[in-house]
Amino acid sequence: MKNIRNFCIIAHIDHGKSTLADRLLEYTNTIAAKDMEAQVLDNMDLERERGITIKSHAIQMDYTLNGQPYVLNLIDTPGHVDFSYEVSRSIAACEGALLIVDATQGIQAQTISNLYMAIDNNLEIIPVLNKCDLDSANPDEVADQIVEMLGCDHDEIIHASGKTGMGIPEILEAIVERIPAPEGDPDAPLQALIFDSVFNPFRGIIAYFKIENGSISTDDFVKFVATGKEYHADEVGVLKLDLAPRKTLSAGNVGYIISGIKTSREVKVGDTITHVARPCDEAIHGFQEVKPMVFAGVYPIETEDFENLRASLEKLQLNDASLTFTPESSAALGFGFRCGFLGLLHMEIIQERLGREFDMDVITTVPNVSYRVFDKKGNVTEVHNPSGLPDLTLIEHIEEPYIRASVITTPEFIGPIMTLCLSKRGELVRQEYISGGHRMELTFDMPLGEIVIDFYDKLKSISKGYASFDYHINGFRESKLVKLDILLNGESVDALSTLTHADNAVTFGRRMCEKLKELIPRQQFDIAVQAAIGAKIIARETIKAVRKDVTAKCYGGDISRKRKLLEKQKKGKKRMKQIGSVEVPQKAFLAVLKLD
């Protein structure tokens, strides 16, 4: 055990952790030169296209230092705020972390939040300054920021470059010398923490675990503590680029187990594996249950695909434990699911993956957050979508979730960023200079409902990409919320209704009507698009009818002939309006998300 090192890589998005991981794998000859490609651990097409890590990946490397062989288990982690749950799971399986900071950009919001998560778990932190080979790098200035934040010495910071391979030998030496070996008793009853799982169509569910105590062998009879199910371990092994079977794995190791599990509900991330014959006394205290922040309805375009959608979501949930879903129905869209996501990027990624990996065409409704509704009898209900709101006469008050947001930026963008946050009903808590006055950290209390739609995109554009943003939930507060309904020809479209603050309702309703007027195709009759709060109409647009010129065949003659034809057409239009239905295209639902 003393020759095992488990470590993860944490950093802000786009600070070069996947590229650095490539160099470590190359240097330790874990991957042959012919198999080497950029971001080798990002094996999803989507990750490569967007240049982001979505899923944390584990891989084992062999390394020799001073004639002594070591086993290094690396877990690469995502950097985007929406995937911080993945990071918390990786941290739970490690004893140390490489903290990577981009020498051209300095410390960003996500660097700080991931660092605190690692420190809370008592990980040994090795600071690495990446991209030192670039002309725009400021290694000395950024090193001062790291020293100020971590309280370490200057000579503990490793200067490196994922592109050129500079500093890689020093990083590997530091991993062996500074990160402690895992503690645990190989002879105690088996205790293994499941930190991830994937679905394989041929072999069932593969669970990834870290062994805290004891050992596990192929053909052992094991039990999953949380679900109480028992299985034979058909195969155990370690994670190289592919799965590498082993006869036995003992305490301190990271590996995988295949036991022919077919249903996704039987594997819970954070569960403990133990032996049936000699069980452990208690389960491992892993990480907390994930709390979704943003809720949206996901509906199949074809109604008969409902069961396929359920199966697809269950398989996706294995790869991504932070996705939650419950069945719901809508008058406009039929049967579907109410899904909980960690943020808007997460929602977009899930939608893409449903299309690519499972061939599912889905409609996603407007995202919203969960509100607490207090009625006059003193009962509290959680409401995720507008249709679940009780009658207004029964409501005492509504509370909405607030977040504590921290924005790190350079001083020249402070004005526009403050304007943006205050327009989103934010309250400035404090502002302070960090790293010698070159950076500023602004802390706001803001309603989560205001930032779920387009806040992040706006922040990036007004700060030219220089502001970084991070947040955590900070309780609930009473708020004046109203339900905004969209009516087409007097009929409410429940998929387009939203809960919004009373101050924003009129402008939001107006913008929504204008947008829908552009996107809904014209019919043979006039369509009234209205926004309403209860019985009060606050905005209206009319989509004009497509008309045929019925008087074209009358040339000359008496006016009464034309009038007769026009009257006949008018009656037809009226009849059509009573029986005609309005199709709302998918892009109308999506456009509402991008309202600006």
Side-chain angles (χ1 to χ4, degrees), residues 107 125-129 132 138-160 170 174 178 435:
I107 286 172
I125 309 287
I126 299 174
V128 177
L129 202 51
C132 285
N138 292 327
D140 301 335
E141 192 183 302
V142 179
D144 290 340
Q145 293 177 21
I146 296 174
V147 170
E148 192 183 317
M149 183 174 73
L150 267 181
C152 60
D153 294 331
H154 268 281
D155 49 3
E156 286 179 38
I157 300 171
I158 300 169
H159 290 243
E170 290 84 353
R178 295 195 216 167
S435 64

Side-chain angles (χ1 to χ4, degrees), residues 30-92:
T30 307
I31 293 176
K34 65 178 177 27
D35 296 332
M36 197 63 214
E37 53 186 340
Q39 277 102 7
V40 71
L41 291 179
D42 293 348
N43 51 13
M44 243 185 272
D45 293 342
L46 206 56
E47 291 180 315
R48 304 232 153 158
E49 282 168 26
R50 291 177 174 237
I52 56 175
T53 304
I54 294 168
K55 189 95 188 73
S56 43
H57 298 277
I59 193 161
Q60 191 179 87
M61 304 182 279
D62 297 314
Y63 173 65
T64 309
L65 182 67
N66 306 332
Q68 189 81 353
Y70 290 92
V71 171
L72 310 181
N73 288 312
L74 152 72
I75 305 181
D76 182 21
T77 63
H80 195 280
V81 62
D82 279 12
F83 303 111
S84 53
Y85 180 63
E86 286 275 335
V87 182
S88 74
R89 291 168 21 192
S90 308
I91 285 174

